[in-house]
Amino acid sequence: QVQLVESGGGLAQPGGSLRLSCAASGFTFSWYAMRWYRQAPGKERELVAFISSTSDSTNYADSVKGRFTISRDNAKNTVYLQMNGLKAEDTAVYYCNARRTILGIPPTISDFWGQGTQVTVSS
């Protein structure tokens, strides 16, 4: 069965760092682009970071660019989010997502989500 399991969340002080991990199983991880999303109370879920299946492309939300780094290790079926220079506004539940577009008529999307991990930034 497909699983995405996030870990590494917790409490950090402003200016601190956390590293989130997402371990994948039950599908061919190396075929999938990976994304990190987050959702704060009362706000819509937003895309934080993207990485292509082979790590040749990454993208970040403007709010985290220069502070967060997404990476992946296909041999370990794991995607990471290194978060530095944390701010109070980074407080949210962080979710990892695996997505692959399968060409056909019509094309279809294979899309998997983790359960989320809480990140709280507070002094």
Side-chain angles (χ1 to χ4, degrees), residues 9 16 18 32 40 45-47 64 77 96 120:
L18 288 171
Y32 283 72
R45 186 172 299 190
E46 66 171 337
L47 176 64
V64 308
N77 289 355
C96 70
T120 302

Side-chain angles (χ1 to χ4, degrees), residues 5-6 9 24 27 36 41 43 47 54 56 75 77 79 86 95 106 122:
V5 181
E6 298 97 334
F27 65 100
W36 286 96
K43 297 184 178 180
L47 176 64
T54 56
D56 61 341
N77 289 355
V79 63
L86 284 164
Y95 301 88
S122 176

